[in-house]
Amino acid sequence: MKKYFSYFKAELMAGIQYRGAAISGLTTQFFWGIILIFVYKAFYDYTSIRSINYKELVSYVWLNQAFFCIIYINKTDSGITNAILDGTVAYELLRPYNVFTWWFSKLISKRYSMVILRCIPILIVSPIIWSPYNLSGPKSVASFLLFVLALFLGSIIVSLINVLIRSIAFYTHQDKGITSIITRVADFLSGFFLPIPLLPDLLIKITKYLPFRLIGDLPFRIYSGNINITTATYDITLQVIWIILLVIIGNIVLLNSLKKVSIQGG
């Protein structure tokens, strides 16, 4: 376990060095958040939505933008897929560690290295914007603590899903097609493009049986109080269950693929 943590730390420190990319991404997230908030304001002025009020939605948008690099399923390093496609994955297969855990460490460290430099400025500026377009404080101390826990568990879930998706390249021999479809559907059902409470009832029911809403939608709604403490505790338990299932499924898929893998080249 120590070697995986050391690798996670090394990747995290390396990613933090890319300050230019972080600044450009920060600017994009901030102004995109402003645009979305204004669009939703116009929408709320002429409709009556009870599933989530406007202040809760504004907090949802700001948190979504602040933690974009954690919750965006397709926001990850393509190095794993490239290694599979060009054959350099052979070097990793020779090393004395569990490939699934190693890839997971790489992907989750990449996410945290990108989000550290971006979230802090947004979390500082968004609360001081004029009302009602500002980020509100958490509903309660308990809501904030559960939000942090749910966001952390959500980052584990999205990284595990990413490892599983990247492993598909062993079977498809390319990094597009089915993987692109999976990531787009997952991003939509995770609340990244549109908050889950604003989706049609049928899609809301579907999201309850999938892990995607547990990545971003759950922690953001816990923070604003849209999800109460009792429901939040239940959903966090679901996060833990999904983490266990994804670890099992991911290892099975990867181990089966490695039994049939063939490396071509000189």
Side-chain angles (χ1 to χ4, degrees):
M1 184 58 67
K2 183 178 179 180
K3 57 187 175 184
Y4 300 118
F5 179 77
S6 298
Y7 183 69
F8 169 83
K9 183 179 178 180
E11 286 288 321
L12 182 64
M13 297 305 296
I16 291 176
Q17 296 178 13
Y18 294 97
R19 296 181 181 85
I23 293 173
S24 61
L26 168 65
T27 305
T28 301
Q29 255 70 78
F30 184 80
F31 284 101
W32 184 244
I34 289 288
I35 292 172
L36 286 176
I37 289 171
F38 286 160
V39 170
Y40 285 132
K41 183 65 168 65
F43 180 70
Y44 267 69
D45 285 343
Y46 294 96
T47 57
S48 176
I49 300 176
R50 298 181 180 179
S51 55
I52 182 170
N53 63 49
Y54 184 68
K55 286 298 295 181
E56 292 172 346
L57 183 64
V58 170
S59 294
Y60 191 111
V61 171
W62 281 124
L63 293 173
N64 197 326
Q65 298 305 309
F67 298 102
F68 163 82
C69 294
I70 286 184
I71 68 169
Y72 185 29
I73 292 178
N74 203 33
K75 185 72 173 178
T76 187
D77 188 2
S78 60
I80 293 176
T81 304
N82 293 336
I84 295 173
L85 299 181
D86 63 22
T88 54
V89 69
Y91 296 108
E92 296 196 10
L93 300 181
L94 294 174
R95 293 171 180 167
Y97 51 62
N98 181 282
V99 177
F100 183 89
T101 307
W102 193 260
W103 285 354
F104 169 78
S105 300
K106 182 177 183 178
L107 292 175
I108 196 170
S109 62
K110 186 73 173 181
R111 289 182 178 276
Y112 276 102
S113 67
M114 291 188 293
V115 79
I116 287 174
L117 294 177
R118 301 187 187 196
C119 72
I120 296 178
I122 293 179
L123 294 179
I124 292 175
V125 175
S126 57
I128 61 177
I129 295 176
W130 64 95
S131 182
Y133 310 115
N134 60 313
L135 171 65
S136 301
K139 185 70 174 180
S140 64
V141 174
S143 295
F144 177 74
L145 295 176
L146 290 176
F147 156 74
V148 173
L149 176 60
L151 187 63
F152 171 70
L153 294 177
S155 69
I156 295 177
I157 291 175
V158 71
S159 298
L160 290 173
I161 292 175
N162 264 145
V163 176
L164 186 57
I165 291 175
R166 300 303 169 187
S167 301
I168 294 176
F170 277 115
Y171 298 94
T172 61
H173 304 292
Q174 48 84 36
D175 61 340
K176 297 182 180 179
I178 185 63
T179 56
S180 297
I181 294 174
I182 293 174
T183 54
R184 294 300 178 272
V185 172
D187 283 328
F188 183 76
L189 296 179
S190 68
F192 175 75
F193 294 121
L194 189 69
I196 297 298
L198 300 184
L199 294 177
D201 291 339
L202 177 60
L203 289 180
I204 292 177
K205 292 179 180 179
I206 292 175
T207 61
K208 292 181 179 180
Y209 301 98
L210 299 172
F212 308 124
R213 73 175 181 88
L214 302 174
I215 297 170
D217 180 80
L218 173 63
F220 300 160
R221 291 169 63 193
I222 291 175
Y223 177 94
S224 66
N226 185 260
I227 293 180
N228 60 48
I229 300 299
T230 302
T231 305
T233 304
Y234 168 78
D235 285 334
I236 288 175
T237 304
L238 283 182
Q239 284 183 306
V240 175
I241 294 173
W242 269 110
I243 288 174
I244 296 172
L245 289 176
L246 288 170
V247 169
I248 295 173
I249 295 171
N251 275 284
I252 291 174
V253 171
L254 188 56
L255 288 176
N256 286 337
S257 64
L258 293 179
K259 290 178 181 178
K260 304 175 183 179
V261 68
S262 60
I263 306 297
Q264 298 181 352

